[in-house]
């Protein structure tokens, strides 16, 4: 009830780079009380990225992607193919959405040395919680380490 003021807080972010015009919600948990919105005062510290968008977000082709509810979690799996000219390492981030298209979770897994023309399977798991709703759809974003 009322406002909660937090000073000098820090949290490790799962998704550290956003696509242009992409927004994500931020959830915080203070003493087992979950907040889904908050206000921030300036300044917000950011680190500028000095790489072209094509280097950050590699062109990878995803196929046979599906989400399955398993015992206690949801799993997104599929096949990814590198269509670039060089080996790529990085992470796959899966953004889970509920029936209202609101984000209910973000999970990731890493990949290493995916060569041109190479295909590999991937799976990302989101553990089931009732805090934000159940996943109904998903989006996969690849971010390169180069």
């Amino acid at each position: 009830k009322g406002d909660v003021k937090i000073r000098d807080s820090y949290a490790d972010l799962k998704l550290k780079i956003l696509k242009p015009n992409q927004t994500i919600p931020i959830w915080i948990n203070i003493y087992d009380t979950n907040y889904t919105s908050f206000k921030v005062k300036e300044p917000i510290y950011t680190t500028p990225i000095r790489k072209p968008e094509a280097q950050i977000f590699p062109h990878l082709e995803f196929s046979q992607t599906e989400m399955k509810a398993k015992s206690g979690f949801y799993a997104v799996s599929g096949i990814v193919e590198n269509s670039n000219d060089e080996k790529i390492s990085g992470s796959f981030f899966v953004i889970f959405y509920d029936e209202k298209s609101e984000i209910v979770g973000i999970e990731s897994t890493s990949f290493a040395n995916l060569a041109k023309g190479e295909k590999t399977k991937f799976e990302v798991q989101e553990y089931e919680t009732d805090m934000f709703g159940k996943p109904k759809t998903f989006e996969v974003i690849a971010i390169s380490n180069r």
Side-chain angles (χ1 to χ4, degrees), residues 25-29 33-37 96-100 102-106 126-135:
I26 297 174
W27 299 296
I28 59 173
N29 182 307
T33 303
N34 297 300
Y35 295 88
T36 58
S37 64
F96 293 86
Y97 299 94
D98 66 7
E99 66 277 352
K100 297 177 187 174
E102 294 179 356
I103 296 173
V104 294
I106 299 172
E126 167 70 18
Y127 290 93
E128 186 175 342
T129 64
D130 292 328
M131 184 167 32
F132 301 115
K134 298 191 182 309

PDB file of all heavy atoms in Angstrom, residues 25-29 33-37 96-100 102-106 126-135:
ATOM      1  N   PRO A  25       8.486  -5.604 -19.514  1.00  0.00           N
ATOM      2  CA  PRO A  25       8.161  -5.184 -18.147  1.00  0.00           C
ATOM      3  C   PRO A  25       9.300  -5.570 -17.204  1.00  0.00           C
ATOM      4  O   PRO A  25      10.113  -6.429 -17.513  1.00  0.00           O
ATOM      5  CB  PRO A  25       6.896  -5.985 -17.828  1.00  0.00           C
ATOM      6  CG  PRO A  25       7.058  -7.221 -18.635  1.00  0.00           C
ATOM      7  CD  PRO A  25       7.753  -6.791 -19.900  1.00  0.00           C
ATOM      8  N   ILE A  26       9.345  -4.926 -16.070  1.00  0.00           N
ATOM      9  CA  ILE A  26      10.326  -5.258 -15.045  1.00  0.00           C
ATOM     10  C   ILE A  26       9.559  -5.653 -13.795  1.00  0.00           C
ATOM     11  O   ILE A  26       8.650  -4.946 -13.361  1.00  0.00           O
ATOM     12  CB  ILE A  26      11.237  -4.051 -14.754  1.00  0.00           C
ATOM     13  CG1 ILE A  26      12.039  -3.697 -16.000  1.00  0.00           C
ATOM     14  CG2 ILE A  26      12.160  -4.347 -13.588  1.00  0.00           C
ATOM     15  CD1 ILE A  26      12.847  -2.447 -15.884  1.00  0.00           C
ATOM     16  N   TRP A  27       9.919  -6.800 -13.220  1.00  0.00           N
ATOM     17  CA  TRP A  27       9.272  -7.261 -12.000  1.00  0.00           C
ATOM     18  C   TRP A  27      10.270  -7.189 -10.857  1.00  0.00           C
ATOM     19  O   TRP A  27      11.433  -7.542 -11.019  1.00  0.00           O
ATOM     20  CB  TRP A  27       8.816  -8.714 -12.147  1.00  0.00           C
ATOM     21  CG  TRP A  27       7.836  -8.916 -13.236  1.00  0.00           C
ATOM     22  CD1 TRP A  27       6.579  -8.400 -13.330  1.00  0.00           C
ATOM     23  CD2 TRP A  27       8.026  -9.694 -14.423  1.00  0.00           C
ATOM     24  NE1 TRP A  27       5.992  -8.804 -14.492  1.00  0.00           N
ATOM     25  CE2 TRP A  27       6.851  -9.602 -15.177  1.00  0.00           C
ATOM     26  CE3 TRP A  27       9.080 -10.467 -14.908  1.00  0.00           C
ATOM     27  CZ2 TRP A  27       6.691 -10.258 -16.388  1.00  0.00           C
ATOM     28  CZ3 TRP A  27       8.920 -11.114 -16.105  1.00  0.00           C
ATOM     29  CH2 TRP A  27       7.735 -11.008 -16.835  1.00  0.00           C
ATOM     30  N   ILE A  28       9.828  -6.724  -9.741  1.00  0.00           N
ATOM     31  CA  ILE A  28      10.676  -6.730  -8.560  1.00  0.00           C
ATOM     32  C   ILE A  28       9.946  -7.430  -7.425  1.00  0.00           C
ATOM     33  O   ILE A  28       8.718  -7.472  -7.385  1.00  0.00           O
ATOM     34  CB  ILE A  28      11.078  -5.298  -8.139  1.00  0.00           C
ATOM     35  CG1 ILE A  28       9.843  -4.443  -7.832  1.00  0.00           C
ATOM     36  CG2 ILE A  28      11.933  -4.635  -9.188  1.00  0.00           C
ATOM     37  CD1 ILE A  28      10.187  -3.083  -7.258  1.00  0.00           C
ATOM     38  N   ASN A  29      10.714  -8.004  -6.528  1.00  0.00           N
ATOM     39  CA  ASN A  29      10.153  -8.715  -5.388  1.00  0.00           C
ATOM     40  C   ASN A  29      10.831  -8.170  -4.137  1.00  0.00           C
ATOM     41  O   ASN A  29      12.037  -8.276  -3.998  1.00  0.00           O
ATOM     42  CB  ASN A  29      10.399 -10.218  -5.539  1.00  0.00           C
ATOM     43  CG  ASN A  29       9.791 -11.007  -4.397  1.00  0.00           C
ATOM     44  OD1 ASN A  29      10.044 -10.732  -3.245  1.00  0.00           O
ATOM     45  ND2 ASN A  29       9.005 -12.001  -4.740  1.00  0.00           N
ATOM     46  N   THR A  33       6.677  -9.481  -1.608  1.00  0.00           N
ATOM     47  CA  THR A  33       5.586  -8.703  -2.182  1.00  0.00           C
ATOM     48  C   THR A  33       5.976  -8.380  -3.615  1.00  0.00           C
ATOM     49  O   THR A  33       7.010  -7.771  -3.853  1.00  0.00           O
ATOM     50  CB  THR A  33       5.352  -7.397  -1.402  1.00  0.00           C
ATOM     51  OG1 THR A  33       5.086  -7.737  -0.042  1.00  0.00           O
ATOM     52  CG2 THR A  33       4.188  -6.622  -1.978  1.00  0.00           C
ATOM     53  N   ASN A  34       5.176  -8.806  -4.573  1.00  0.00           N
ATOM     54  CA  ASN A  34       5.517  -8.627  -5.984  1.00  0.00           C
ATOM     55  C   ASN A  34       4.905  -7.354  -6.531  1.00  0.00           C
ATOM     56  O   ASN A  34       3.737  -7.078  -6.315  1.00  0.00           O
ATOM     57  CB  ASN A  34       5.018  -9.824  -6.796  1.00  0.00           C
ATOM     58  CG  ASN A  34       5.709 -11.081  -6.348  1.00  0.00           C
ATOM     59  OD1 ASN A  34       6.930 -11.182  -6.415  1.00  0.00           O
ATOM     60  ND2 ASN A  34       4.937 -12.039  -5.860  1.00  0.00           N
ATOM     61  N   TYR A  35       5.743  -6.585  -7.239  1.00  0.00           N
ATOM     62  CA  TYR A  35       5.293  -5.359  -7.867  1.00  0.00           C
ATOM     63  C   TYR A  35       5.450  -5.515  -9.370  1.00  0.00           C
ATOM     64  O   TYR A  35       6.467  -5.992  -9.837  1.00  0.00           O
ATOM     65  CB  TYR A  35       6.118  -4.168  -7.385  1.00  0.00           C
ATOM     66  CG  TYR A  35       5.937  -3.897  -5.909  1.00  0.00           C
ATOM     67  CD1 TYR A  35       6.745  -4.529  -4.977  1.00  0.00           C
ATOM     68  CD2 TYR A  35       4.959  -3.034  -5.468  1.00  0.00           C
ATOM     69  CE1 TYR A  35       6.577  -4.287  -3.619  1.00  0.00           C
ATOM     70  CE2 TYR A  35       4.775  -2.788  -4.123  1.00  0.00           C
ATOM     71  CZ  TYR A  35       5.593  -3.422  -3.202  1.00  0.00           C
ATOM     72  OH  TYR A  35       5.423  -3.192  -1.873  1.00  0.00           O
ATOM     73  N   THR A  36       4.459  -5.115 -10.129  1.00  0.00           N
ATOM     74  CA  THR A  36       4.551  -5.227 -11.580  1.00  0.00           C
ATOM     75  C   THR A  36       4.708  -3.871 -12.257  1.00  0.00           C
ATOM     76  O   THR A  36       4.769  -3.796 -13.463  1.00  0.00           O
ATOM     77  CB  THR A  36       3.308  -5.932 -12.157  1.00  0.00           C
ATOM     78  OG1 THR A  36       2.154  -5.199 -11.769  1.00  0.00           O
ATOM     79  CG2 THR A  36       3.216  -7.354 -11.668  1.00  0.00           C
ATOM     80  N   SER A  37       4.750  -2.810 -11.485  1.00  0.00           N
ATOM     81  CA  SER A  37       5.019  -1.501 -12.069  1.00  0.00           C
ATOM     82  C   SER A  37       5.784  -0.671 -11.041  1.00  0.00           C
ATOM     83  O   SER A  37       5.719  -0.932  -9.848  1.00  0.00           O
ATOM     84  CB  SER A  37       3.727  -0.792 -12.467  1.00  0.00           C
ATOM     85  OG  SER A  37       2.943  -0.520 -11.328  1.00  0.00           O
ATOM     86  N   PHE A  96       7.963 -15.302 -23.031  1.00  0.00           N
ATOM     87  CA  PHE A  96       6.690 -15.998 -22.894  1.00  0.00           C
ATOM     88  C   PHE A  96       5.575 -14.976 -22.690  1.00  0.00           C
ATOM     89  O   PHE A  96       5.709 -14.055 -21.875  1.00  0.00           O
ATOM     90  CB  PHE A  96       6.727 -16.947 -21.690  1.00  0.00           C
ATOM     91  CG  PHE A  96       7.681 -18.093 -21.861  1.00  0.00           C
ATOM     92  CD1 PHE A  96       9.014 -17.970 -21.527  1.00  0.00           C
ATOM     93  CD2 PHE A  96       7.229 -19.310 -22.349  1.00  0.00           C
ATOM     94  CE1 PHE A  96       9.896 -19.036 -21.677  1.00  0.00           C
ATOM     95  CE2 PHE A  96       8.100 -20.381 -22.505  1.00  0.00           C
ATOM     96  CZ  PHE A  96       9.437 -20.241 -22.166  1.00  0.00           C
ATOM     97  N   TYR A  97       4.456 -15.148 -23.435  1.00  0.00           N
ATOM     98  CA  TYR A  97       3.306 -14.249 -23.358  1.00  0.00           C
ATOM     99  C   TYR A  97       2.077 -15.003 -22.867  1.00  0.00           C
ATOM    100  O   TYR A  97       1.894 -16.183 -23.187  1.00  0.00           O
ATOM    101  CB  TYR A  97       2.980 -13.668 -24.742  1.00  0.00           C
ATOM    102  CG  TYR A  97       4.094 -12.855 -25.353  1.00  0.00           C
ATOM    103  CD1 TYR A  97       5.015 -13.434 -26.219  1.00  0.00           C
ATOM    104  CD2 TYR A  97       4.229 -11.501 -25.073  1.00  0.00           C
ATOM    105  CE1 TYR A  97       6.039 -12.687 -26.788  1.00  0.00           C
ATOM    106  CE2 TYR A  97       5.250 -10.744 -25.636  1.00  0.00           C
ATOM    107  CZ  TYR A  97       6.147 -11.348 -26.494  1.00  0.00           C
ATOM    108  OH  TYR A  97       7.161 -10.614 -27.050  1.00  0.00           O
ATOM    109  N   ASP A  98       1.198 -14.306 -22.137  1.00  0.00           N
ATOM    110  CA  ASP A  98      -0.067 -14.911 -21.726  1.00  0.00           C
ATOM    111  C   ASP A  98      -1.132 -14.683 -22.793  1.00  0.00           C
ATOM    112  O   ASP A  98      -0.839 -14.181 -23.883  1.00  0.00           O
ATOM    113  CB  ASP A  98      -0.508 -14.395 -20.353  1.00  0.00           C
ATOM    114  CG  ASP A  98      -0.859 -12.905 -20.342  1.00  0.00           C
ATOM    115  OD1 ASP A  98      -0.908 -12.262 -21.420  1.00  0.00           O
ATOM    116  OD2 ASP A  98      -1.086 -12.363 -19.246  1.00  0.00           O
ATOM    117  N   GLU A  99      -2.367 -15.005 -22.486  1.00  0.00           N
ATOM    118  CA  GLU A  99      -3.450 -14.889 -23.464  1.00  0.00           C
ATOM    119  C   GLU A  99      -3.757 -13.441 -23.831  1.00  0.00           C
ATOM    120  O   GLU A  99      -4.384 -13.177 -24.852  1.00  0.00           O
ATOM    121  CB  GLU A  99      -4.729 -15.584 -22.964  1.00  0.00           C
ATOM    122  CG  GLU A  99      -5.369 -14.950 -21.747  1.00  0.00           C
ATOM    123  CD  GLU A  99      -4.742 -15.391 -20.417  1.00  0.00           C
ATOM    124  OE1 GLU A  99      -3.902 -16.310 -20.417  1.00  0.00           O
ATOM    125  OE2 GLU A  99      -5.074 -14.787 -19.389  1.00  0.00           O
ATOM    126  N   LYS A 100      -3.300 -12.474 -23.024  1.00  0.00           N
ATOM    127  CA  LYS A 100      -3.503 -11.062 -23.320  1.00  0.00           C
ATOM    128  C   LYS A 100      -2.294 -10.460 -24.025  1.00  0.00           C
ATOM    129  O   LYS A 100      -2.180  -9.245 -24.139  1.00  0.00           O
ATOM    130  CB  LYS A 100      -3.763 -10.293 -22.027  1.00  0.00           C
ATOM    131  CG  LYS A 100      -5.021 -10.710 -21.304  1.00  0.00           C
ATOM    132  CD  LYS A 100      -5.130  -9.941 -20.007  1.00  0.00           C
ATOM    133  CE  LYS A 100      -6.293 -10.457 -19.183  1.00  0.00           C
ATOM    134  NZ  LYS A 100      -6.331  -9.811 -17.866  1.00  0.00           N
ATOM    135  N   GLU A 102       0.654 -10.281 -22.873  1.00  0.00           N
ATOM    136  CA  GLU A 102       1.526  -9.630 -21.909  1.00  0.00           C
ATOM    137  C   GLU A 102       2.645 -10.602 -21.530  1.00  0.00           C
ATOM    138  O   GLU A 102       2.428 -11.815 -21.426  1.00  0.00           O
ATOM    139  CB  GLU A 102       0.741  -9.212 -20.665  1.00  0.00           C
ATOM    140  CG  GLU A 102      -0.286  -8.132 -20.967  1.00  0.00           C
ATOM    141  CD  GLU A 102      -1.083  -7.721 -19.741  1.00  0.00           C
ATOM    142  OE1 GLU A 102      -0.888  -8.320 -18.662  1.00  0.00           O
ATOM    143  OE2 GLU A 102      -1.902  -6.803 -19.872  1.00  0.00           O
ATOM    144  N   ILE A 103       3.835 -10.076 -21.315  1.00  0.00           N
ATOM    145  CA  ILE A 103       4.981 -10.920 -20.998  1.00  0.00           C
ATOM    146  C   ILE A 103       4.829 -11.500 -19.597  1.00  0.00           C
ATOM    147  O   ILE A 103       4.563 -10.775 -18.641  1.00  0.00           O
ATOM    148  CB  ILE A 103       6.292 -10.120 -21.115  1.00  0.00           C
ATOM    149  CG1 ILE A 103       6.499  -9.672 -22.559  1.00  0.00           C
ATOM    150  CG2 ILE A 103       7.481 -10.942 -20.630  1.00  0.00           C
ATOM    151  CD1 ILE A 103       7.669  -8.745 -22.760  1.00  0.00           C
ATOM    152  N   VAL A 104       5.010 -12.820 -19.500  1.00  0.00           N
ATOM    153  CA  VAL A 104       4.925 -13.494 -18.206  1.00  0.00           C
ATOM    154  C   VAL A 104       6.244 -14.155 -17.820  1.00  0.00           C
ATOM    155  O   VAL A 104       6.352 -14.737 -16.745  1.00  0.00           O
ATOM    156  CB  VAL A 104       3.775 -14.524 -18.172  1.00  0.00           C
ATOM    157  CG1 VAL A 104       2.438 -13.820 -18.270  1.00  0.00           C
ATOM    158  CG2 VAL A 104       3.924 -15.564 -19.266  1.00  0.00           C
ATOM    159  N   GLY A 105       7.242 -14.074 -18.681  1.00  0.00           N
ATOM    160  CA  GLY A 105       8.540 -14.640 -18.332  1.00  0.00           C
ATOM    161  C   GLY A 105       9.545 -14.496 -19.453  1.00  0.00           C
ATOM    162  O   GLY A 105       9.173 -14.371 -20.622  1.00  0.00           O
ATOM    163  N   ILE A 106      10.824 -14.498 -19.074  1.00  0.00           N
ATOM    164  CA  ILE A 106      11.929 -14.470 -20.032  1.00  0.00           C
ATOM    165  C   ILE A 106      12.960 -15.476 -19.546  1.00  0.00           C
ATOM    166  O   ILE A 106      13.398 -15.399 -18.399  1.00  0.00           O
ATOM    167  CB  ILE A 106      12.569 -13.075 -20.133  1.00  0.00           C
ATOM    168  CG1 ILE A 106      11.556 -12.039 -20.606  1.00  0.00           C
ATOM    169  CG2 ILE A 106      13.779 -13.112 -21.071  1.00  0.00           C
ATOM    170  CD1 ILE A 106      12.067 -10.608 -20.539  1.00  0.00           C
ATOM    171  N   GLU A 126      10.698 -22.525 -18.930  1.00  0.00           N
ATOM    172  CA  GLU A 126      10.133 -21.505 -18.043  1.00  0.00           C
ATOM    173  C   GLU A 126       9.399 -22.243 -16.936  1.00  0.00           C
ATOM    174  O   GLU A 126       8.460 -22.983 -17.207  1.00  0.00           O
ATOM    175  CB  GLU A 126       9.158 -20.606 -18.816  1.00  0.00           C
ATOM    176  CG  GLU A 126       8.279 -19.718 -17.976  1.00  0.00           C
ATOM    177  CD  GLU A 126       9.000 -18.585 -17.282  1.00  0.00           C
ATOM    178  OE1 GLU A 126      10.117 -18.245 -17.683  1.00  0.00           O
ATOM    179  OE2 GLU A 126       8.451 -18.039 -16.325  1.00  0.00           O
ATOM    180  N   TYR A 127       9.858 -22.074 -15.696  1.00  0.00           N
ATOM    181  CA  TYR A 127       9.216 -22.776 -14.597  1.00  0.00           C
ATOM    182  C   TYR A 127       7.888 -22.128 -14.271  1.00  0.00           C
ATOM    183  O   TYR A 127       7.759 -20.907 -14.245  1.00  0.00           O
ATOM    184  CB  TYR A 127      10.146 -22.845 -13.383  1.00  0.00           C
ATOM    185  CG  TYR A 127      11.283 -23.783 -13.668  1.00  0.00           C
ATOM    186  CD1 TYR A 127      12.487 -23.319 -14.174  1.00  0.00           C
ATOM    187  CD2 TYR A 127      11.112 -25.159 -13.511  1.00  0.00           C
ATOM    188  CE1 TYR A 127      13.508 -24.195 -14.499  1.00  0.00           C
ATOM    189  CE2 TYR A 127      12.137 -26.037 -13.831  1.00  0.00           C
ATOM    190  CZ  TYR A 127      13.326 -25.547 -14.324  1.00  0.00           C
ATOM    191  OH  TYR A 127      14.332 -26.413 -14.664  1.00  0.00           O
ATOM    192  N   GLU A 128       6.903 -22.978 -14.060  1.00  0.00           N
ATOM    193  CA  GLU A 128       5.518 -22.535 -13.892  1.00  0.00           C
ATOM    194  C   GLU A 128       5.338 -21.798 -12.575  1.00  0.00           C
ATOM    195  O   GLU A 128       5.693 -22.300 -11.520  1.00  0.00           O
ATOM    196  CB  GLU A 128       4.589 -23.750 -13.938  1.00  0.00           C
ATOM    197  CG  GLU A 128       3.133 -23.414 -13.908  1.00  0.00           C
ATOM    198  CD  GLU A 128       2.267 -24.650 -14.078  1.00  0.00           C
ATOM    199  OE1 GLU A 128       2.755 -25.677 -14.548  1.00  0.00           O
ATOM    200  OE2 GLU A 128       1.102 -24.558 -13.710  1.00  0.00           O
ATOM    201  N   THR A 129       4.812 -20.590 -12.670  1.00  0.00           N
ATOM    202  CA  THR A 129       4.424 -19.835 -11.479  1.00  0.00           C
ATOM    203  C   THR A 129       3.062 -19.227 -11.757  1.00  0.00           C
ATOM    204  O   THR A 129       2.699 -18.991 -12.900  1.00  0.00           O
ATOM    205  CB  THR A 129       5.420 -18.694 -11.164  1.00  0.00           C
ATOM    206  OG1 THR A 129       5.385 -17.754 -12.231  1.00  0.00           O
ATOM    207  CG2 THR A 129       6.828 -19.215 -10.962  1.00  0.00           C
ATOM    208  N   ASP A 130       2.318 -18.991 -10.720  1.00  0.00           N
ATOM    209  CA  ASP A 130       1.009 -18.361 -10.884  1.00  0.00           C
ATOM    210  C   ASP A 130       1.084 -16.852 -10.700  1.00  0.00           C
ATOM    211  O   ASP A 130       0.089 -16.157 -10.772  1.00  0.00           O
ATOM    212  CB  ASP A 130       0.009 -18.952  -9.887  1.00  0.00           C
ATOM    213  CG  ASP A 130      -0.313 -20.400 -10.212  1.00  0.00           C
ATOM    214  OD1 ASP A 130      -0.304 -20.735 -11.408  1.00  0.00           O
ATOM    215  OD2 ASP A 130      -0.547 -21.181  -9.292  1.00  0.00           O
ATOM    216  N   MET A 131       2.309 -16.334 -10.481  1.00  0.00           N
ATOM    217  CA  MET A 131       2.460 -14.919 -10.187  1.00  0.00           C
ATOM    218  C   MET A 131       2.038 -14.041 -11.356  1.00  0.00           C
ATOM    219  O   MET A 131       1.397 -13.028 -11.179  1.00  0.00           O
ATOM    220  CB  MET A 131       3.918 -14.632  -9.820  1.00  0.00           C
ATOM    221  CG  MET A 131       4.139 -13.208  -9.397  1.00  0.00           C
ATOM    222  SD  MET A 131       5.719 -12.870  -8.603  1.00  0.00           S
ATOM    223  CE  MET A 131       6.855 -13.997  -9.346  1.00  0.00           C
ATOM    224  N   PHE A 132       2.394 -14.421 -12.590  1.00  0.00           N
ATOM    225  CA  PHE A 132       2.122 -13.563 -13.733  1.00  0.00           C
ATOM    226  C   PHE A 132       1.196 -14.196 -14.760  1.00  0.00           C
ATOM    227  O   PHE A 132       0.949 -13.615 -15.799  1.00  0.00           O
ATOM    228  CB  PHE A 132       3.432 -13.168 -14.411  1.00  0.00           C
ATOM    229  CG  PHE A 132       4.368 -12.442 -13.499  1.00  0.00           C
ATOM    230  CD1 PHE A 132       5.571 -12.997 -13.157  1.00  0.00           C
ATOM    231  CD2 PHE A 132       4.026 -11.210 -12.967  1.00  0.00           C
ATOM    232  CE1 PHE A 132       6.443 -12.331 -12.303  1.00  0.00           C
ATOM    233  CE2 PHE A 132       4.887 -10.534 -12.113  1.00  0.00           C
ATOM    234  CZ  PHE A 132       6.099 -11.105 -11.784  1.00  0.00           C
ATOM    235  N   GLY A 133       0.731 -15.397 -14.551  1.00  0.00           N
ATOM    236  CA  GLY A 133      -0.116 -16.063 -15.521  1.00  0.00           C
ATOM    237  C   GLY A 133       0.627 -17.137 -16.274  1.00  0.00           C
ATOM    238  O   GLY A 133       1.842 -17.270 -16.168  1.00  0.00           O
ATOM    239  N   LYS A 134      -0.116 -17.913 -17.004  1.00  0.00           N
ATOM    240  CA  LYS A 134       0.472 -19.047 -17.720  1.00  0.00           C
ATOM    241  C   LYS A 134       0.822 -18.663 -19.151  1.00  0.00           C
ATOM    242  O   LYS A 134       0.066 -17.973 -19.812  1.00  0.00           O
ATOM    243  CB  LYS A 134      -0.510 -20.215 -17.704  1.00  0.00           C
ATOM    244  CG  LYS A 134      -0.813 -20.709 -16.292  1.00  0.00           C
ATOM    245  CD  LYS A 134      -1.555 -22.015 -16.333  1.00  0.00           C
ATOM    246  CE  LYS A 134      -1.923 -22.514 -14.963  1.00  0.00           C
ATOM    247  NZ  LYS A 134      -0.859 -22.567 -14.010  1.00  0.00           N
ATOM    248  N   PRO A 135       1.973 -19.125 -19.640  1.00  0.00           N
ATOM    249  CA  PRO A 135       2.359 -18.831 -21.021  1.00  0.00           C
ATOM    250  C   PRO A 135       1.402 -19.460 -22.027  1.00  0.00           C
ATOM    251  O   PRO A 135       0.969 -20.602 -21.856  1.00  0.00           O
ATOM    252  CB  PRO A 135       3.743 -19.458 -21.151  1.00  0.00           C
ATOM    253  CG  PRO A 135       4.236 -19.621 -19.761  1.00  0.00           C
ATOM    254  CD  PRO A 135       3.018 -19.846 -18.926  1.00  0.00           C
TER     255      PRO A 135
END
